[in-house]
Amino acid sequence: MNNGDNTAIFSTDIGVIALNGSVKIKILDFLKTGCKSFDEIVQHTGKAKSTISVHLNDLKSQNLLEETIDSNDKRKKVYFLRCQYVACSQEPGMKQYNEMLDLIASPDVHSFGCLKCLFHAVQYGFRAHGVNCDPIMRKIGHDVGNSLSRNIVSQEPEDILQEMLDFWVKNDIGSFTVLEKDPIKLAVHNFFDCRSIPIKEKTLCSFAQGVFEGVFMAKMGGECVMQMLGKCDDTCDSCLFQMIKL
């Protein structure tokens, strides 16, 4: 999560909320790993207790977090998230978006697949207007992976990956290579033809990341994170991911 001066966007039960305070964003980022006490938040942020108290009250009033009694110490309170990190602002970049629109307008669009180009255009469109939507694309990928897992019968990681690969190839999604088995390390190639489309900046790494997380969390019954080791941009041939079990 970006905790600098950029605006971060969060989804709550009552709607979308935008924050641009670095301390508040840092608190919410810290809470992603689970409940934290007041003292832990103070220590993590390096701010005065009075400052953190004000920020926590503001975040509670916006339904971004909630407090409860610490089950291990009834005298203390702990704080936990009530929101989902959706996106953050970034410097707008129209170049790649316009290049994609030109590709869609050309006869060459059929050689790449019109629907795939339209999918990429949505990604570039968000970025063109100053929105980095990687967090929500990862969440959507996670949901898609969870749904796809229902078509996978295997239970062992190696067999799950083979079923996923067969599905990807059959449906022209892309391909991937298992680089290491323990921990699982993957190289994802040409996801939705990202390498073939003649635009340098790539956008779908977070979506692929979420798909793997959704499949494995559903099939293995435990929390896991696919750590991104390298993005599929104009300097590399694949997205690199490594699984971390929580």
Side-chain angles (χ1 to χ4, degrees):
M1 184 183 296
N2 188 330
N3 55 15
D5 294 331
N6 288 350
T7 298
I9 303 170
F10 299 86
S11 174
T12 73
D13 293 340
I14 61 173
V16 172
I17 294 175
L19 292 178
N20 58 9
S22 61
V23 177
K24 287 185 174 67
I25 296 173
K26 190 172 185 178
I27 291 171
L28 296 177
D29 190 35
F30 187 44
L31 294 179
K32 285 197 306 183
T33 58
C35 294
K36 305 296 181 183
S37 69
F38 179 82
D39 289 339
E40 287 175 320
I41 296 171
V42 169
Q43 182 177 4
H44 178 73
T45 59
K47 300 296 181 179
K49 290 184 177 181
S50 57
T51 300
I52 295 303
S53 180
V54 170
H55 284 308
L56 289 174
N57 286 332
D58 288 345
L59 292 170
K60 283 191 295 180
S61 68
Q62 293 174 298
N63 291 300
L64 292 166
L65 59 74
E66 195 168 307
E67 66 179 25
T68 188
I69 300 299
D70 188 345
S71 59
N72 297 317
D73 188 341
K74 303 299 184 182
R75 298 169 299 175
K76 296 182 179 180
K77 295 179 180 178
V78 291
Y79 299 85
F80 60 93
L81 288 180
R82 289 196 59 189
C83 61
Q84 174 71 46
Y85 179 39
V86 174
C88 65
S89 64
Q90 64 173 30
E91 182 179 350
M94 294 295 296
K95 180 176 181 293
Q96 290 81 15
Y97 184 46
N98 287 331
E99 288 175 349
M100 178 56 71
L101 294 179
D102 290 341
L103 177 59
I104 291 173
S106 75
D108 295 333
V109 68
H110 299 292
S111 64
F112 300 108
C114 185
L115 288 178
K116 290 180 181 179
C117 288
L118 293 175
F119 188 42
H120 283 278
V122 172
Q123 299 294 292
Y124 288 122
F126 276 111
R127 292 172 180 269
H129 293 88
V131 178
N132 182 330
C133 60
D134 284 346
I136 192 62
M137 288 306 299
R138 182 176 179 180
K139 176 62 169 63
I140 293 172
H142 181 282
D143 294 340
V144 169
N146 181 66
S147 293
L148 288 175
S149 71
R150 300 171 193 173
N151 295 306
I152 296 176
V153 299
S154 301
Q155 296 294 327
E156 296 299 322
E158 188 172 350
D159 298 329
I160 292 171
L161 287 169
Q162 185 59 55
E163 281 198 59
M164 285 185 68
L165 180 58
D166 293 342
F167 183 87
W168 281 30
V169 172
K170 179 181 179 181
N171 292 279
D172 196 25
I173 295 173
S175 64
F176 60 85
T177 302
V178 180
L179 302 177
E180 297 177 12
K181 295 182 179 179
D182 189 19
I184 293 173
K185 185 176 179 180
L186 305 172
V188 178
H189 318 290
N190 211 22
F191 187 64
F192 278 84
D193 284 337
C194 65
R195 294 304 303 175
S196 303
I197 292 175
I199 297 176
K200 289 185 176 181
E201 184 175 336
K202 308 306 175 184
T203 61
L204 297 177
C205 296
S206 296
F207 185 77
Q209 181 182 20
V211 169
F212 282 104
E213 289 174 337
V215 168
F216 273 94
M217 288 177 66
K219 297 303 294 184
M220 304 301 293
E223 294 287 328
C224 71
V225 171
M226 296 302 293
Q227 181 182 13
M228 190 180 296
L229 304 179
K231 286 190 175 183
C232 179
D233 56 22
D234 57 320
T235 63
C236 68
D237 293 325
S238 58
C239 306
L240 301 178
F241 301 111
Q242 180 171 299
M243 180 184 290
I244 299 175
K245 295 181 180 179
L246 301 179

